[in-house]
Amino acid sequence: MQTLQEVLQAADTAELVAALKRRFPVDLAELPAELTVAAAQAHVDQVWRDYLDRLRTLEIQPTADGQTWVLYVYHELKDGMPEPSVNVTPLAELQREGVAAPSYALEWTPQVELLGYYVAENRLTKYYQTDLLVEVLDDACFFGLEQEHLAEEIASLTARTQAPGKTFSEEAVKRELGWDEEAGDTFTPQEEKYRAQAEAAAQKISDYSKQAAIDEILQSLAG
């Protein structure tokens, strides 16, 4: 497997920038008024190119937890069609837990560590590689293109988790969000049965695809 940084280095820059722009369309209202549309597009292109160039040349640091992390893709059912699901999980958990292995958030991961994560070589990860890269690149700049706000956010999160908190019941949360009002339309008991069956079938597709992806990954590592 290659590291994320190696995959980024080999990726086509123009294709990746185009994919990022499709995912995050330019909001002209946020750009200087004196810029023409063409100049604004060029500015956005350069921002993404600079971001990619930086990630391609950063010096990778070992993960803080010492684990080998794997980025991989399987697919789920959405509107009757396959939809990619990007996951990041320690290799040890894939080996130990299989389909039950969870996926973790990347927003809090320092870029210098994230770039050393490995990109799996299973079929769907290869097929959806651009989707994977776009999602990871999005998460990696959640706190700024150079993660300039990451330390501040980690300190804030630590302070919040250490402060005494107030708990709310499920009913109280629903009332707060306005979800306790009577629904205007609901499923009949028979429709609810079909809905549950459809959800169960969709979950079977997801679990099967995830397990197949994990099996491919572990078999490739076994040689």
Side-chain angles (χ1 to χ4, degrees):
M1 292 188 293
Q2 292 183 308
T3 65
L4 174 62
Q5 187 175 65
E6 289 172 325
V7 173
L8 283 173
Q9 289 169 343
D12 182 272
T13 299
E15 179 182 340
L16 202 46
V17 168
L20 285 163
K21 289 170 64 179
R22 287 194 297 272
R23 177 80 173 264
F24 310 105
V26 178
D27 185 352
L28 298 178
E30 295 182 359
L31 297 173
E34 64 272 13
L35 286 180
T36 64
V37 173
Q41 293 286 358
H43 170 76
V44 171
D45 284 4
Q46 192 59 52
V47 168
W48 286 125
R49 287 176 180 275
D50 290 345
Y51 177 49
L52 292 173
D53 287 345
R54 179 175 178 275
L55 295 181
R56 285 165 169 164
T57 56
L58 273 179
E59 183 177 349
I60 294 174
Q61 294 182 9
T63 57
D65 58 12
Q67 297 200 80
T68 298
W69 286 78
V70 180
L71 294 154
Y72 71 101
V73 179
Y74 65 92
H75 60 215
E76 300 176 317
L77 185 67
K78 182 176 181 181
D79 298 328
M81 299 294 292
E83 179 81 5
S85 176
V86 176
N87 283 243
V88 56
T89 306
L91 177 59
E93 292 188 18
L94 291 180
Q95 294 170 322
R96 183 175 64 250
E97 301 180 34
V99 73
S103 180
Y104 296 85
L106 291 174
E107 291 89 344
W108 304 89
T109 306
Q111 292 171 351
V112 290
E113 292 185 23
L114 176 57
L115 291 166
Y117 285 16
Y118 287 94
V119 177
E121 296 180 349
N122 61 299
R123 179 180 66 86
L124 289 179
T125 299
K126 292 178 180 178
Y127 183 79
Y128 289 113
Q129 185 178 93
T130 298
D131 297 84
L132 180 147
L133 292 177
V134 168
E135 186 158 331
V136 171
L137 289 168
D138 177 25
D139 291 344
C141 67
F142 189 79
F143 295 117
L145 292 173
E146 297 185 12
Q147 292 188 317
E148 56 269 26
H149 306 299
L150 179 59
E152 173 189 342
E153 291 296 332
I154 290 176
S156 175
L157 177 64
T158 301
R160 291 198 302 273
T161 55
Q162 291 177 347
K166 182 180 179 181
T167 59
F168 297 89
S169 68
E170 181 180 351
E171 290 74 18
V173 172
K174 286 182 177 180
R175 285 196 300 272
E176 182 70 20
L177 296 176
W179 291 354
D180 58 335
E181 299 176 2
E182 184 177 351
D185 183 25
T186 59
F187 288 124
T188 67
Q190 186 61 43
E191 289 171 338
E192 179 62 29
K193 179 180 177 181
Y194 292 147
R195 184 200 61 78
Q197 290 173 345
E199 286 189 356
Q203 188 61 51
K204 286 183 179 179
I205 292 174
S206 175
D207 290 346
Y208 179 86
S209 179
K210 183 176 181 180
Q211 188 62 63
I214 293 172
D215 288 346
E216 279 188 70
I217 293 167
L218 299 183
Q219 288 170 11
S220 68
L221 293 176

